[in-house]
């Protein structure tokens, strides 16, 4: 017995060794000793030989430089700096605290800098510097109280991920650097949060750049960059996002709120796309273009800003040929929701400009612009105000309930308030449409010194062109074939549809569905066709169809059981009777033994 217990104990101990040790080894790398374990004055590495010497000499450097065994410097406090030049090995610097900075130059191999703190770099000091570096990952580092928190120059194809930079002059700075990815970094309380100069094809996404003194994200002489899905709030002086002498950039899906000056600012920049941004509650303009041409300002939410919603400003006729379309520009507090000053040949179309403290749209010293298809309602002054502006074309707009009047034209030369066949809808039009052609029989007079008129006022509010429901996918979780007849049909959302109908073998099963699935139970074998049709309010449809085969197995016939069934009470009685007989027999046998 004692031997069995000892064997069992041995098995348990061996199992603990086999299963626990791999877990310890696996977590060894991800749970290093605390930063500051070694205090070092300076690390200088110039080439592969230096790496090998360090690894052979010091406990704080390990590895062989291979991709599966990189050189690692970890858990150190460096009072001066880490400098690496001419390196061609794979290495990692992690969990280090550096008083001056980490500088890596002329490297083209894959390496990682992670979990480091770099601080107090001094005037023009750099927390982490990459100079002529490619293929690096800068991950989860903290850089503070430097001139540059993280600095890239002449460096391409690097990734900056989940770093924090604060109390620097420049939180993250790129110059002459291309094809880099800046993802999920945080830059706050810097002069500039993220600054990109003379650089192209960089992705700046998912970052938070708040509470910086000048700009949250700033592009200077940079092109073909993407600024996407960033949060840029509470920045001072310049703007939340600023494009300065920059072109062919895309600024999309950003949240740009509560900045002290402008939300998104373009200065001397062209061919940029600013779209689908949320630009609200900024203390200056929402989106402002100064002397900038050929930009697309599309589908932005630009509301509740303290000055203009969207402002196009030119000097000597510079802000030209911009497309401002399908934006929502409501409840802004400046002279107008959309304001053009010295801006020419621009298209302002499909916007909503409502409830602004001034005019809905104002043109000042601006010529040859097209104001088309906008909804301009309930502004506290005029719907459209033209001031010393000429040869502008204004038609197919909706004017309703603007307090001072729907439009005024104080220009000395002519503006066109219809295109020759179609004018605008005026809620206060007092004429008639006796011939029923949808155009008022008499012109609509525009207020102001120009004496302008709309010759073809629209009788009814124009209805938007109906959108067709988009295509969608129809699937099921039925087996092939299905063997129980119980399954669910699923379909993806069809844009512009508001309800769905389901047909089985071209017979309507149910209509008016608003969900995206339907549960089915069918217990008859066969091949079934299911069609889902998407409908919108205009009766337009889109459909998809799927086939489900059902083959429920037939239970095989069984031979009747030849053993007759018994009433349970009879069985219980038999058991009790047999037990009694056995008990009596046992008792008699015991009595016989007693007598003997």
């Amino acid at each position: 017995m004692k031997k069995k217990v000892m064997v069992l104990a041995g098995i348990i101990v061996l199992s603990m060794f086999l299963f626990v040790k791999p877990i310890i080894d696996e977590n060894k790398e991800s749970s290093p000793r605390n930063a500051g374990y070694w205090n070092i004055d300076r690390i200088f590495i110039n080439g592969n030989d230096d790496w090998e010497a360090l690894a052979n000499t010091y406990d704080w450097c390990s590895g062989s430089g291979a991709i599966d065994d990189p050189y690692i410097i970890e858990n150190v406090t460096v009072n001066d700096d880490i400098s690496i030049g001419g390196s061609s090995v794979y290495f990692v610097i992690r969990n280090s605290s550096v008083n001056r900075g980490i500088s890596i130059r002329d490297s083209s191999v894959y390496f990682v800098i992670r979990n480091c703190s770099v601080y107090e770099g001094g005037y023009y000091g750099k927390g982490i510097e990459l100079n002529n570096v490619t293929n690096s990952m800068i991950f989860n580092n903290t850089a503070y109280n430097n001139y540059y928190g993280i600095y890239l120059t002449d460096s391409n194809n690097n990734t900056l991920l989940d770093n924090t930079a604060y109390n620097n002059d420049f939180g993250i700075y790129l110059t002459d650097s291309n094809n880099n990815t800046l993802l999920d970094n945080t830059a706050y309380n810097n002069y500039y949060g993220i600054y990109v100069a003379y650089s192209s094809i960089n992705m700046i996404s998912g970052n938070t750049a708040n509470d910086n003194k000048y700009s949250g994200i700033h592009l200077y002489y940079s092109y073909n960059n993407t600024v996407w899905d960033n949060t840029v709030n509470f920045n001072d002086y310049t703007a939340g996002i600023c494009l300065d002498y920059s072109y062919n950039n895309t600024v999309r899906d950003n949240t740009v709120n509560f900045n002290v000056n402008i939300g998104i600012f373009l200065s001397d920049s062209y061919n940029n796309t600013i779209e689908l941004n949320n630009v609200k509650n900024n203390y200056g303009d929402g989106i402002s273009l100064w002397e900038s041409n050929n930009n697309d300002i599309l589908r932005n939410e630009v509301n509740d800003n303290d000055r203009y919603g969207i402002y196009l400003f030119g000097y000597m006729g510079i802000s030209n040929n911009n497309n401002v379309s399908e934006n929502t520009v409501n409840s802004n507090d400046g002279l107008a929701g959309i304001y053009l000053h010295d801006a020419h040949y621009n298209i302002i179309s499909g916007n909503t400009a409502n409830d602004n403290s001034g005019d809905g749209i104002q043109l000042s010293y601006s010529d040859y612009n097209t104001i088309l298809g906008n909804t301009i309602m309930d502004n506290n002054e005029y719907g459209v105000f033209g001031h010393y502006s000429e040869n502008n074309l204004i038609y197919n707009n909706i004017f309703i309930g603007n307090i001072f009047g729907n439009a005024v034209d104080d220009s000395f030369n002519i503006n066109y308030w219809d295109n020759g066949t179609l004018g605008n809808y005026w809620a206060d039009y007092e004429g008639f449409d006796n011939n029923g052609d949808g155009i008022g029989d008499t012109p609509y007079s525009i207020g102001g010194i120009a004496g302008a008129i709309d010759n073809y006022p629209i009788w009814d509010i124009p209805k938007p062109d109906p959108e067709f429901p988009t295509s969608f996918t129809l699937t099921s979780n039925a087996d092939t074939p299905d063997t129980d007849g119980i399954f669910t049909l699923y379909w993806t959302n069809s844009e512009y549809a508001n309800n769905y109908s389901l047909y089985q073998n071209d017979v309507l099963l149910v209509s008016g569905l608003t969900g995206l699935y339907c549960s089915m139970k069918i217990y008859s074998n066969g091949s079934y066709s299911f069609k889902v049709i998407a409908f919108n309010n205009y009766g337009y449809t889109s459909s998809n169809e799927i086939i489900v085969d059902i083959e429920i197995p037939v239970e095989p016939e069984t031979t009747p059981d030849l053993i007759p069934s018994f009433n349970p009470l009879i069985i219980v009685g038999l058991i009790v009777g047999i037990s009694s007989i056995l008990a009596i027999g046992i008792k008699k046998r015991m009595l016989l033994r007693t007598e003997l």
Side-chain angles (χ1 to χ4, degrees):
M1 181 66 180
K2 188 180 294 185
K3 186 175 181 180
K4 291 182 178 178
V5 171
M6 293 180 65
V7 171
L8 180 60
I11 292 172
I12 292 173
V13 171
L14 180 60
S15 299
M16 291 177 64
F17 177 79
L18 291 174
F19 290 101
V20 174
K21 186 178 184 298
I23 294 174
I24 294 172
D25 290 344
E26 181 181 349
N27 291 328
K28 181 178 179 182
E29 182 175 337
S30 60
S31 301
R33 286 163 287 193
N34 292 329
Y37 188 81
W38 289 283
N39 291 296
I40 301 169
D41 290 334
R42 188 168 188 262
I43 300 174
F44 180 76
I45 299 171
N46 188 12
N48 298 346
D49 293 341
D50 282 1
W51 276 108
E52 186 176 355
L54 287 175
N56 292 333
T57 306
Y58 298 104
D59 291 336
W60 43 261
C61 184
S62 62
S64 64
I67 192 168
D68 58 346
D69 184 29
Y71 287 117
I72 297 175
I73 298 173
E74 64 178 335
N75 304 329
V76 297
T77 295
V78 183
N79 296 317
D80 191 354
D81 65 0
I82 298 174
S83 183
I84 301 167
S87 175
S88 60
V89 295
Y90 187 93
F91 63 91
V92 177
I93 301 173
R94 70 181 182 197
N95 289 84
S96 301
S97 180
V98 184
N99 182 242
R100 287 289 299 278
I102 298 171
S103 178
I104 301 174
R105 303 185 178 194
D106 302 319
S107 173
S108 61
V109 298
Y110 293 90
F111 68 88
V112 178
I113 300 174
R114 68 183 182 194
N115 303 334
C116 297
S117 296
V118 285
Y119 59 94
E120 303 295 349
Y123 190 62
Y124 283 106
K126 304 171 180 70
I128 297 174
E129 177 188 13
L130 305 182
N131 188 334
N132 191 26
V133 170
T134 60
N135 303 319
S136 75
M137 165 74 78
I138 312 301
F139 171 60
N140 197 34
N141 302 284
T142 301
Y144 61 95
N145 293 346
N146 306 283
Y147 191 82
Y148 300 99
I150 300 174
Y151 178 91
L152 276 67
T153 181
D154 293 309
S155 295
N156 307 322
N157 299 307
N158 302 286
T159 298
L160 278 60
L161 172 63
D162 202 25
N163 300 283
T164 299
Y166 65 93
N167 291 349
N168 307 283
D169 283 56
F170 296 87
I172 299 173
Y173 185 92
L174 276 66
T175 181
D176 296 299
S177 297
N178 308 321
N179 290 298
N180 299 288
T181 298
L182 280 63
L183 180 64
D184 292 338
N185 301 284
T186 299
Y188 66 94
N189 285 343
N190 306 283
Y191 276 73
Y192 293 91
I194 297 172
Y195 197 98
V196 179
Y198 306 103
S199 301
S200 65
I201 323 176
N202 297 288
M203 170 63 76
I204 304 167
S205 178
N207 303 283
T208 299
N210 295 343
D211 294 294
N212 297 286
K213 187 171 183 179
Y214 292 108
S215 300
I217 298 175
H218 197 115
L219 273 59
Y220 181 72
Y221 281 101
S222 294
Y223 60 95
N224 291 333
N225 300 283
T226 299
V227 181
W228 174 53
D229 193 30
N230 301 281
T231 299
V232 190
N233 301 333
F234 298 105
N235 297 282
D236 295 343
Y237 297 134
T238 307
I241 298 174
C242 180
L243 275 60
D244 199 6
Y245 296 97
S246 296
Y247 59 95
N248 291 339
N249 300 286
T250 297
V251 179
R252 178 187 174 98
D253 283 311
N254 300 282
T255 298
V256 189
N257 299 336
F258 296 104
N259 294 283
V260 170
N261 195 4
I262 298 168
I264 299 176
F265 181 35
L266 277 65
S267 175
D268 294 283
S269 297
Y270 59 93
N271 289 340
N272 300 286
T273 299
I274 314 298
E275 64 178 339
L276 295 169
N277 299 285
N278 183 313
V279 188
K280 298 179 181 178
N281 294 299
N282 297 285
Y283 299 112
D285 308 327
I287 298 175
S288 188
L289 279 65
W290 287 36
E291 302 181 359
S292 296
N293 301 330
N294 298 300
N295 299 285
D296 289 323
I297 314 299
L298 309 174
R299 298 184 294 279
N300 300 282
E301 295 282 337
V302 192
N303 302 330
D304 299 297
N305 299 285
D306 281 3
R307 289 204 306 254
Y308 312 115
I310 298 176
Y311 181 30
L312 275 61
F313 173 77
Y315 178 72
M316 300 295 292
I318 300 282
S319 278
N320 299 340
N321 297 302
N322 298 288
N323 178 19
V324 180
S325 295
E326 299 182 41
N327 301 281
T328 299
V329 190
N330 296 340
S331 302
N332 299 283
D333 287 339
L335 292 176
I338 300 173
Y339 183 49
L340 279 66
H341 188 283
D342 269 322
H344 312 304
Y345 300 99
N346 300 285
I347 296 174
I348 314 298
S349 70
N351 302 284
T352 298
N354 299 342
D355 298 299
N356 295 285
S357 295
D359 306 319
I361 299 173
Q362 183 177 141
L363 306 174
S364 180
Y365 300 97
S366 296
D367 308 326
Y368 298 99
N369 299 286
T370 298
I371 314 297
L372 164 67
N374 302 281
T375 298
I376 308 165
M377 297 173 54
D378 299 322
N379 296 285
N380 286 339
E381 296 187 13
Y382 295 101
V384 169
F385 178 49
H387 177 68
Y388 296 110
S389 299
E390 60 186 53
N391 290 303
N392 296 288
L393 175 60
I394 305 145
Y395 76 101
N396 201 27
N397 302 285
I398 297 172
F399 293 89
I400 300 174
N402 298 287
I403 303 301
F404 283 12
N406 283 321
V408 66
D409 189 348
D410 277 342
S411 302
F412 291 111
N413 292 309
I414 192 168
N415 291 298
Y416 301 93
W417 293 85
D418 60 71
N419 68 353
T421 58
L422 186 68
N424 302 276
Y425 175 81
W426 309 94
D428 58 350
Y429 178 62
E430 297 179 349
F432 300 94
D433 180 22
N434 291 320
N435 61 3
D437 63 355
I439 301 297
D441 296 334
T442 56
Y444 178 88
S445 295
I446 311 297
I449 63 175
I453 59 173
D454 177 353
N455 294 289
Y456 301 93
I458 298 171
W459 180 251
D460 291 319
I461 295 178
K463 296 180 175 57
D465 293 332
E467 299 281 1
F468 286 82
T470 58
S471 60
F472 59 94
T473 302
L474 176 61
T475 59
S476 83
N477 63 355
D479 294 329
T480 307
D482 194 73
T483 57
D484 64 3
I486 301 173
F487 56 93
T488 302
L489 299 171
Y490 299 95
W491 53 93
T492 57
N493 182 60
S494 172
E495 193 174 1
Y496 308 118
N498 53 23
N499 69 90
Y500 303 87
S501 293
L502 174 62
Y503 290 78
Q504 176 183 315
N505 295 339
D506 294 324
V507 176
L508 178 64
L509 291 182
V510 61
S511 62
L513 292 171
T514 56
L516 300 177
Y517 69 93
C518 187
S519 298
M520 306 296 300
K521 293 182 181 180
I522 300 175
Y523 298 120
S524 298
N525 291 344
S527 184
Y528 295 87
S529 170
F530 295 96
K531 179 187 290 185
V532 173
I533 301 178
F535 292 87
N536 67 8
N537 288 329
Y538 299 96
Y540 294 104
T541 65
S542 178
S543 65
N544 206 338
E545 193 168 353
I546 191 173
I547 302 294
V548 175
D549 294 319
I550 297 176
E551 293 183 12
I552 301 174
V554 179
E555 301 224 357
E557 295 184 4
T558 58
T559 304
D561 195 350
L562 298 178
I563 300 175
S565 59
F566 292 96
N567 189 314
L569 293 177
I570 296 174
I571 295 173
V572 172
L574 288 172
I575 293 171
V576 172
I578 292 170
S579 300
S580 300
I581 293 169
L582 291 173
I584 292 169
I586 293 169
K587 187 174 182 180
K588 285 182 178 181
R589 186 173 297 179
M590 292 176 64
L591 288 173
L592 285 173
R593 287 182 179 177
T594 304
E595 291 175 358
L596 294 174

